[in-house]
Amino acid sequence: MTMKKYSDGFKIADEDLKARGPGDFFGERQHGLPKLKIADMLEDMEVLRLAQECARDILKEDYNLDLDKNKHLCNSITKMFRDIEY
């Protein structure tokens, strides 16, 4: 129905995201919601873009997060992904 209703690919993608969720972060599954809830991918898109930009800046300077100033970030990321089920 969505494909007949809209011709804008971004609108179709938004409708698909609403219907099926963002999919599996690490696999190929394209349905359901992941157990890791960081943000509402529809409502928080600008914040997600800003976070992505900040992450790129950090990784450009310290790809492995080895610098002392990034140790806490590295530990937090490791714990977050260790604790999720996927």
Side-chain angles (χ1 to χ4, degrees), residues 56-72:
R56 281 188 181 138
D57 290 345
I58 291 168
L59 294 175
K60 197 180 299 182
E61 177 188 23
D62 182 21
Y63 185 78
N64 293 315
L65 302 176
D66 292 327
L67 296 176
D68 284 340
K69 68 180 183 178
N70 293 327
K71 289 292 185 190
H72 181 70

